[in-house]
Every structure is written in C-alpha cells, then in structure tokens.
Amino acid sequence: MKPNTHLERAGLIAPDYIDAHGRPQQVSALTRDRLLGLMPPSSDGASPLPAAVVFHQGEPLMLSPVLFAPADWQLTSETGERWSGRCAPGETIALPALPDGYHQLTLEHETQRDSCCIIVAPRRCYEPPALLAGDSLWGSCIQLYTLRSANNWGIGDFGDLQRMIVETARHGGAFVGLNPLHALFPAEPESASPYSPSSRRWLNILYIDVGAVADFQHSEAAQAWWRLEATQQALQAARRAEWVDYPAVTRLKLAGLRLAWRQFQQRDAEDAEVTAFDAFIEAGGDSLLFQGVFDALHAERRAQSRACHGWQSWPEAFQRPDSAAVLAFRIEQSDKVRFYLWLQWLAAQQFAACWQRCQQQQMAIGLYRDLAVGVARDGAETWRERELYCLEASVGAPPDILGPLGQNWGLPPMDPQVMAARAFDPWITLLRASMQDCGALRIDHVMALLRLWWIPQGESAAEGAYVHYPLDALLAILALESQRHRCMVIGEDLGTVPAAIVDKLRDAGVYSYKVLYFEQASQQAFRAPAQWPRQAMAVTTTHDMPTLRGWWRSDDLRLGSALGLYPDKAVLAGLYRDRQAARTALLRTLLRSGALPARQRYQRGGARMTRALSLAILGYLAGTQSALLGLQPEEWLDMATPVNVPGTTDAYPNWRRKLSATLEEMFSDPAVETLLAAVDRGRKGMK
C-alpha cells in the first residue's frame, strides 16, 4: 500500500473535478485505486537529485541535493564548459548562469555517481517576426488525405501539398495547416485515423508521391507495371472513389514502391542517394530501426493471419522488440526491414521539399503540423516503449453537454513518472520530430500538458479520473524547442479548460485555438471582431466538427441522432433549440459587424446557407483581432459532409471523405478566387 499512498500524496490523481456544467464531481475510490495500481511507485527517493530540474532563463540556479555525506559535483554545459565543487549534507549548490539548453550535473560520493539534467528554458515560445510586427495572417487548413488531383493515386500526397502551398501563397496565405502526418499501419490500411497512429515520431508513408520518386521513374519494371491496363484501371477507380479506398491505395503504392526499391538497390554503395539513406538510418537510431522492424513484422504476421491486428495479438516471442525471435527476424528479413526504412526516408525527403517550397514562396509561417495526443495501443511506439505507456488504461474525456456518455479515445497514456525519470527525453524527442520542417505546431488537446482523463481498461468513459502531468516542466521544454526550431505553437484548448492552465499557456506564448461555433458571447450575439484575442488562431470548424454548411443546417445533430449518439431525446431537442438560437445570434453579429449587408433580410434563425452568407461569415472571421485565421477548403467548396464523427468507429466512414473538387478545379473556380481575395483583403486591413 505504500506506493499508492505516495502517489496520492504526490497528487497525481485528482479526487474530483468540475464537469462541463460547472458542477463538482467526485472520483470513486475504486477508480483511483485501479489507476494507482497501473503506475509503479516513483524511484526518485533513491537519488539525491531528480533526473531533471527545469529553470527559466534569469532564475538563480539553486539545487538542494538530499545527501548523507559530502559529495563532489561537476557541471558540464551543453557546449562543453565545466565547473566543479563540493557539497555537504544540507547545503545548497549555486550553479553559474547558463544559457538556454540541456546541461549535465553529476554528483559523486565514494562509489556512487548520480546525474541530473539541468534544463534552462526561455519563458516564451517562438513567434514569427510578422506576428510580432502586428500582421494578421491567414492560411489553408487541410486534411491531406482528402485532396483530389489529376496526379495523385486516390489519396492526397506530398505532391498535392506542394500544389496547395503554391496556390495558398499565390492568394496571400501565410501557411498550410495539416492533419497529423504520423505513421499509421501499412499492413492494416483500414486503421486510418491520423489521431490513432502507430508512432508520432515517423511519417505516414501513404503520403509519398510515388510518381515523383526517381527510382520509380528510372525503373523499367516499374514503368512497365505503370503502363499495364490493370494498373491504370485500379488507379482510376481509386481516384474516382468518393471515399479514400485505403486498401486499394495501399496496394497500388506499395506495388510501385517495391519496384522502385529494387531499382534503388542497384545503386553503387558510394552513390549520393545511398549515402544519404544510410545517414538517415544512423540519425534515426533505434526509434527508426524498430519502426521498420515493426512494419515488416506486422506485414508478415498479417499475411499469415488477418486476425493479427497489432503486436498484442502476435505470438509471445515477437511481443518484445529485444527478443531473440525479433533479432532473428531482423537478420533474416533485413531486406524487408530496409524497405520500410527507405519508405520513411522517401517520406521525410518529400516533406522536407514541401517545407523548402514554403520558404521559396516566402510564406511567413509555411507548414503547420499537428501533434496527436497519443498513439494506438498496439502500434510501433508502444511495442518499443512498453514501460513508458500505461497499456491497461486509455485516455478520453468525461461526459459533457455534447457527449453525454463521455469519450474513450482508446489511446494508452504516457506515465508522467516515467517521463520525469527519463529527464523528459520522451517529450523532447517527440517535439524535435514534430517541429522538423515546419513553422508552426498545433498540439491537439493541449490540456494534456496539465492533465489527462484516464479510463481503466474495461470501464466506461464516465468511470475515469484526471491524472496530472508536470505542466511547468513540459511548457518550459516546449518553449525551448520552439525557439530552437523557430516553430510557433498553437494549443487546441477546446472543451473544459481548467483555470490553472489558461494563464500559463498565454504567458508561455502558446496561441489559443478559437472555433467560431464556441464564440457565442451571449444569447444575442457572437463575440465582436475586436474582442477576439490577439494571441489566437481563429477557425470556423475542425476535423471533429461539422462543416459550416453542416452546422448551419444541423446536419451533425441529425447524423448523431441516427447513429445513436444522443439517446436522450430531451437533450437532443435542447441542442436543436440552441443551434437555432446560435444561427440567429450569428446573423445579428454579422449585421452589426458589417460583414453582412444590412439591406439583406433573413428570417430569425431560418436563413438558408448561401454563398453570400458563407462569404459573410468568413469575412467576419477575417476581421477579428486574432493573429491567425485558418480556412478549410470544405468552406470554399460549400461542402456539408463531415470528415469525422467523434464517438463512432464503424458506424461512419471517418477519415475517408474526399473534397468535392480536384485541386485543379478548385483553384480555377471564380467563386474560390473571390472568396480568398476577400479574406486576404480583410486580413491585410487589420494592421
């Protein structure tokens, strides 16, 4: 019982919380006990210093180690400078002033040697010069897989992204926002959620533009395969499909890429491309190696049995990456493993080229990546990092107004004690991978830096509790990596946001995320444009919410009712009434702000969604004080169908809906030209 008592004193598990209605709710003793049992007791007491201590720049660097005898200390800065001294029990070590970075302190006493990472961080995250100068910027926010084009293979790819960058910049946009590009499951393509990845460190190889791969172009076998009637028929079917056909796309792409891989293998060992690939493998270390091993092993297991959905369903001999069976597989199937490593290299190369295109277009921000809140329970990351994740719990959200049953996302949480014991290396590594080749990073569910709703395995979402994380340390490291990568940070802070995090996020330079639907200031009106916060990104909607047309017509409520998401009819009726009132309030706000001409008459809450009304709403958003504005192509194309319905798995084809027009059609549409020109004028008029 001692570990449980220790953890409760540490305050890791909150005994209560405030729900979406503002009412206090108690967490059951059974839930707390179950969650406490999932986390091993902290071992901090075994060392005179914690694994890491975080300071902000300008603070005195004072440490008080727990010593029972004198010890010698040595400090090594990140650049190699050294200082040393001696400390007696009860004394405080006063370290010299250090620059931002990661520095190492060691304590030596007799045969014992302990180390501590001294992290010195700036107080704020990086902000682009254009924002500091007062500019108001806009950009396009896309789900990459939804893009249609004349060239892609049935799914949006990095070639399409290049086109999106050029067109967005041509219309005055400063960035292109992306869904998470994390690695998924090539051997199980139906597992398509970008928010349930196999690994957040590596990329989704389905986004490779195969036609742009040099070894595909130069391979006679690949080109012969490409010219086959069967290949072209499969390609056209994948392109024409209304929904992304992940199995068909995966078969096509892997077939073409395997032929290209054979061509690559014929290159000389001294070839520049081979040398670059080898350097990529070396830089990726064990994380990359085991990503390749996992993908190859997963493909083999799935070929033998379609019931193998991830490492937890594999034979026990393969469930540990350090097992003899896995080592034998790495040796015997090294070609297959290297193929998947090569795919990661191709994806990284093509994504880096997209970032270079942003710089060529002189975009103030460029690419804006999205970091998912967690990883799938049975993917490469949990397979390799078993001790970092609590696999018998999952994260989600407690019941709220829109989700009366709560949400269980099926993602195992990181253990905050293990993160701290590893000197926050998992967080540092994740940020460095996520800030590669981009100018902004959106952190999904940014409240996870403070707390996550943990649900014991087998329980409903309502039977969970909030587990606390070391917010101050995680924020400081976020600011440090943000400054080093010159990458601004946007925190998705929707839902129930605890007061403890709001001010800290703002003071740390993390931009808030403001969705139109939630900015109704009163029963009568939405927030006036001048009252939107400057340090924020304004958007109409998100991947988890209805499109503008869908929201206006209450399509989401009808669909949710049909799918059984609103079992309480009284609650559903109230949501319909609230939606009608919100439409009326938005119309009133549009008239008051001048975004909608006063001469136009609309019925109370009953106006039809027209191009003119859509343009007025986007014009209203363009006139807000928020520094950033993100627009989705779904709004330009007046689409109604959502890309994702939260709370569903098989009931709705999530993450598969494509755009209704190709990139070529969209950017030659006069209505789209008019809309984007109006938005650009509105943004430029804000300074």
Side-chain angles (χ1 to χ4, degrees):
M1 294 301 295
K2 184 177 179 181
N4 286 3
T5 304
H6 168 73
L7 287 171
E8 285 185 308
R9 285 200 303 268
L12 282 180
I13 300 179
D16 52 29
Y17 66 98
I18 304 298
D19 68 14
H21 299 277
R23 300 179 302 221
Q25 299 288 343
Q26 293 294 316
V27 173
S28 72
L30 177 61
T31 294
R32 291 203 308 274
D33 287 345
R34 285 196 64 183
L35 293 179
L36 287 169
L38 300 181
M39 294 181 283
S42 171
S43 59
D44 284 352
S47 175
L49 286 171
V53 179
V54 179
F55 297 95
H56 283 108
Q57 188 58 251
E59 291 178 344
L61 308 185
M62 309 291 289
L63 293 172
S64 298
V66 179
L67 296 173
F68 299 99
D72 295 314
W73 62 264
Q74 184 177 85
L75 174 67
T76 305
S77 76
E78 198 171 29
T79 57
E81 293 181 272
R82 295 178 182 272
W83 299 265
S84 61
R86 190 168 178 79
C87 182
E91 288 185 349
T92 297
I93 301 176
L95 300 178
L98 293 168
D100 291 345
Y102 304 92
H103 317 284
Q104 292 298 320
L105 178 71
T106 59
L107 283 174
E108 293 189 17
H109 170 65
E110 296 178 350
T111 60
Q112 184 174 342
R113 181 185 176 92
D114 299 284
S115 63
C116 170
C117 183
I118 307 297
I119 303 174
V120 181
R123 294 189 178 275
R124 288 180 65 85
C125 294
Y126 173 80
E127 294 172 86
L131 295 186
L132 294 176
D135 290 349
S136 295
L137 308 177
W138 72 272
S140 52
C141 293
I142 63 173
Q143 301 284 304
L144 183 54
Y145 52 88
T146 68
L147 298 188
R148 295 177 185 262
S149 75
N151 295 317
N152 76 35
W153 291 20
I155 188 173
D157 59 28
F158 291 135
D160 292 333
L161 179 54
Q162 291 238 17
R163 175 73 181 269
M164 196 76 196
I165 290 166
V166 171
E167 292 291 350
T168 300
R170 181 172 71 86
H171 289 86
F175 61 87
V176 174
L178 296 160
N179 58 282
L181 304 180
H182 309 317
L184 298 182
F185 298 85
E188 195 172 348
E190 288 290 5
S191 296
S193 171
Y195 291 92
S196 297
S198 175
S199 171
R200 292 181 291 179
R201 175 90 186 267
W202 304 103
L203 294 170
N204 182 352
I205 57 95
L206 286 188
Y207 292 136
I208 295 171
D209 178 359
V210 182
V213 174
D215 288 284
F216 180 79
Q217 298 170 355
H218 299 153
S219 166
E220 293 183 6
Q223 291 305 303
W225 170 83
W226 175 249
R227 290 189 295 268
L228 289 175
E229 183 178 353
T231 302
Q232 289 300 310
Q233 288 178 346
L235 176 67
Q236 294 306 320
R239 282 179 181 160
R240 287 194 301 266
E242 179 182 3
W243 308 87
V244 178
D245 186 342
Y246 283 102
V249 168
T250 303
R251 284 194 298 271
L252 273 170
K253 291 209 168 190
L254 288 182
L257 288 166
R258 286 194 174 98
L259 293 170
W261 169 239
R262 292 179 194 168
Q263 181 72 21
F264 181 85
Q265 288 177 301
Q266 295 175 21
R267 290 176 180 263
D268 187 82
E270 303 302 318
D271 184 276
E273 293 290 287
V274 174
T275 302
F277 175 45
D278 290 340
F280 177 79
I281 293 176
E282 184 176 356
D286 284 349
S287 175
L288 175 61
L289 171 63
F290 284 108
Q291 181 67 42
V293 172
F294 178 90
D295 285 340
L297 188 51
H298 190 201
E300 179 173 279
R301 301 310 311 171
R302 288 279 291 176
Q304 294 180 14
S305 171
R306 305 304 290 177
C308 284
H309 296 291
W311 64 264
Q312 289 166 325
S313 62
W314 296 350
E316 187 174 351
F318 294 103
Q319 290 190 12
R320 291 263 175 197
D322 57 355
S323 71
V326 171
L327 177 60
F329 177 85
R330 283 172 50 189
I331 296 171
E332 295 166 5
Q333 305 294 335
S334 61
D335 181 71
K336 292 180 180 178
V337 172
R338 282 181 64 82
F339 170 65
Y340 283 102
L341 300 180
W342 185 68
L343 296 186
Q344 285 296 331
W345 178 63
L346 290 179
Q349 275 190 320
Q350 291 194 354
F351 185 67
C354 292
W355 172 237
Q356 291 164 7
R357 181 59 60 92
C358 291
Q359 294 171 306
Q360 292 166 2
Q361 298 293 319
Q362 298 183 329
M363 301 176 86
I365 295 175
L367 292 176
Y368 150 6
R369 297 182 70 171
D370 195 351
L371 175 61
V373 71
V375 295
R377 185 183 308 278
D378 54 0
E381 199 164 313
T382 57
W383 182 62
R384 191 178 75 88
E385 292 277 20
R386 194 79 47 89
E387 292 74 21
L388 179 59
Y389 291 91
C390 291
L391 297 177
E392 295 179 0
S394 60
V395 299
D400 59 23
I401 298 169
L402 295 179
L405 304 179
Q407 297 180 44
N408 186 334
W409 303 329
L411 309 173
M414 280 189 182
D415 187 331
Q417 294 182 116
V418 176
M419 292 176 69
R422 294 190 184 180
F424 303 106
D425 181 67
W427 178 235
I428 296 166
T429 300
L430 180 59
L431 289 177
R432 288 175 177 173
S434 302
M435 290 179 174
Q436 187 78 21
D437 295 319
C438 66
L441 177 66
R442 175 188 181 272
I443 298 180
D444 190 49
H445 197 66
V446 73
M447 286 83 76
L449 300 184
L450 171 69
R451 67 182 191 182
L452 268 176
W453 184 257
W454 284 31
I455 306 162
Q457 193 172 45
E459 298 293 341
S460 71
E463 299 301 319
Y466 279 114
V467 174
H468 288 284
Y469 286 73
L471 171 65
D472 292 336
L474 298 180
L475 264 184
I477 293 167
L478 177 64
L480 175 55
E481 292 300 327
S482 168
Q483 291 285 355
R484 288 192 162 185
H485 288 83
R486 296 176 63 82
C487 178
M488 71 176 297
V489 179
I490 301 153
E492 188 267 290
D493 51 358
L494 304 176
T496 304
V497 185
I501 198 173
V502 174
D503 292 343
K504 290 195 173 186
L505 289 173
R506 183 194 63 235
D507 293 344
V510 176
Y511 278 54
S512 185
Y513 196 69
K514 299 299 181 185
V515 179
L516 171 66
Y517 307 153
F518 299 144
E519 294 306 304
Q520 187 173 350
S522 68
Q523 289 290 328
Q524 304 301 315
F526 276 65
R527 192 189 300 271
Q531 294 174 352
W532 285 59
R534 169 69 183 171
Q535 190 175 306
M537 177 170 178
V539 297
T540 305
T541 185
T542 75
H543 59 272
D544 281 336
M545 297 176 195
T547 64
L548 183 56
R549 172 172 284 276
W551 179 85
W552 191 268
R553 301 191 315 190
S554 300
D555 289 352
D556 56 314
L557 301 182
R558 282 188 287 274
L559 179 58
S561 177
L563 297 176
L565 301 181
Y566 304 112
D568 190 322
K569 298 301 181 183
V571 169
L572 181 60
L575 292 174
Y576 273 114
R577 288 193 298 272
D578 291 344
R579 183 65 55 83
Q580 180 174 342
R583 289 196 298 266
T584 300
L586 183 54
L587 281 173
R588 186 178 291 114
T589 302
L590 294 175
L591 289 166
R592 287 179 179 174
S593 69
L596 194 64
R599 66 179 181 272
Q600 298 192 31
R601 295 179 176 274
Y602 293 95
Q603 279 188 318
R604 177 183 174 85
R608 292 174 56 198
M609 173 53 66
T610 63
R611 279 285 196 177
L613 181 54
S614 175
L615 183 60
I617 292 172
L618 297 181
Y620 156 72
L621 285 172
T624 63
Q625 292 295 320
S626 295
L628 301 175
L629 170 63
L631 303 178
Q632 294 190 1
E634 285 85 346
E635 296 153 3
W636 317 348
L637 300 172
D638 199 27
M639 295 179 63
T641 310
V643 75
N644 176 51
V645 178
T648 65
T649 51
D650 300 327
Y652 184 83
N654 294 321
W655 318 114
R656 288 161 172 78
R657 195 266 291 130
K658 298 181 185 180
L659 294 182
S660 58
T662 65
L663 289 174
E664 295 83 2
E665 293 166 342
M666 185 165 63
F667 286 113
S668 61
D669 185 342
V672 172
E673 291 282 338
T674 299
L675 184 153
L676 296 183
V679 166
D680 192 52
R681 286 194 303 271
R683 291 269 85 190
K684 287 181 169 59
M686 293 305 301
K687 187 165 182 179

